[in-house]
Amino acid sequence: MRKCVKCQNKAVVYLPQHRLSLCKEHYMEWYARRVEATIREFRMFSKKDRVLVAVSGGKDSLALWHVLHRLGYRADGLYINLGIDEYSERSKLLCDKFAKDRDLVLHVVELKREVASIPEIKQVEKRPACSFCGQLKRYYMNKYARLLGYHVIATGHNLDDESATLLSNVLSWNMEYLSRQFPVLEEREGFVRKVKPLCKFTEKENALYAFLAGIEYVEEECPFAEGASSIEHKMILNQVEEKSPGTKLRFYMDFLRRMHPLLSSEEVSLVPCRVCGEPTTAEVCSVCRLRERLSPKPLSSSASS
Ligand code: Q46
Ligand code: ZN
Ligand code: ZN
């Protein structure tokens, strides 16, 4: 039986990459301290900032909201209802329950009311659902964060997500994506600052925190999840990790500390979308163009938000 290195009680977890055995209480404390340290290391936000946590009902985002609240940050939630049948219904229910049980504020955006649900859009769009779903989520997250007066948007991206994205960008030497791969994207011309406080935690570490904190979260995958290449990259990294614990974290952190500063970040200029006024690089933003394809009618030239 492994013992907790802090109190000698029975350990509930062994973290090989950190060579740590911890009991429930000390795991939760370790997790919270490490989140706080990550927020400080990358100067993500302070206790004065109003933080909007993008919650999906999954383990990562709810663990993030829970730990930010526990650390004393001013964190509210934003749930975007994608209208994906029972999957979205259950996710919404669990986010609602999470907020009510803890007396927290949850904002809900109904995609069906804003544009159309993901299954409805999928009938018209040929590309993979995740491609337009990701665009729509980023658009409404930013729009509502700004309208509701939040200083920063926090998302639950974890180390598995970030290191798999990094591997994919390295394999294709996508310099533009590499230069933007950082856990903080600064505020600029209509874009609210975006941060990833869980970028140093694996999926498993987040799941364990959520479990120990008694958080109910959706375990089933979105039925539209395709991501074959990202799953493959995660598998490759997991195999290396198993043989050599700590590789995933080192791969990601060494990129951030040693490689990222060498990459030039040429920023494309942003303009307000001619139709909705949201920041975009084109004359009309991708969401307005999507809206146009869904119900073709002449695009108005006045901003509606
Ligand atoms: S919700 Fe949307 Fe994800 Fe479903 S359609 Fe893809 S991006 S998988 S996180
Ligand atoms: Zn202990
Ligand atoms: Zn627009």
Side-chain angles (χ1 to χ4, degrees), residues 150-213:
Y150 287 91
H151 303 111
V152 57
I153 299 167
T155 58
H157 291 92
N158 58 45
L159 179 63
D160 299 70
D161 302 323
E162 294 306 294
S163 55
T165 307
L166 176 60
L167 180 59
S168 146
N169 290 338
V170 165
L171 291 176
S172 59
W173 288 117
N174 192 325
M175 302 311 275
E176 194 196 328
Y177 286 178
L178 282 169
S179 71
R180 273 191 273 134
Q181 202 182 348
F182 204 72
V184 179
L185 283 181
E186 290 298 346
E187 171 191 358
R188 63 184 284 240
E189 299 152 90
F191 279 122
V192 175
R193 166 189 281 232
K194 277 217 247 145
V195 300
K196 299 173 181 173
L198 300 187
C199 63
K200 287 165 89 169
F201 294 86
T202 63
E203 255 171 48
K204 278 189 190 156
E205 287 164 355
N206 293 338
L208 180 62
Y209 179 84
F211 171 74
L212 296 176

Side-chain angles (χ1 to χ4, degrees), residues 23-73:
C23 68
K24 174 182 172 177
E25 185 199 328
H26 286 117
Y27 177 75
M28 295 190 66
E29 190 186 302
W30 171 85
Y31 183 94
R33 280 208 187 148
R34 197 165 156 81
V35 171
E36 177 101 85
T38 311
I39 293 169
R40 286 219 191 102
E41 177 179 358
F42 294 103
R43 300 202 177 118
M44 291 181 171
F45 47 83
S46 74
K47 299 250 156 90
K48 283 192 213 130
D49 291 320
R50 290 185 69 214
V51 183
L52 188 62
V53 185
V55 286
S56 64
K59 57 186 181 324
D60 302 293
S61 55
L62 289 182
L64 174 61
W65 197 6
H66 186 281
V67 74
L68 290 184
H69 174 57
R70 178 178 164 177
L71 287 166
Y73 288 101

Side-chain angles (χ1 to χ4, degrees), residues 82 84 129-130 133-134 137 222 224-225:
L82 305 169
I84 308 177
C130 295
C133 180
K137 283 195 284 193
C222 163
F224 286 98

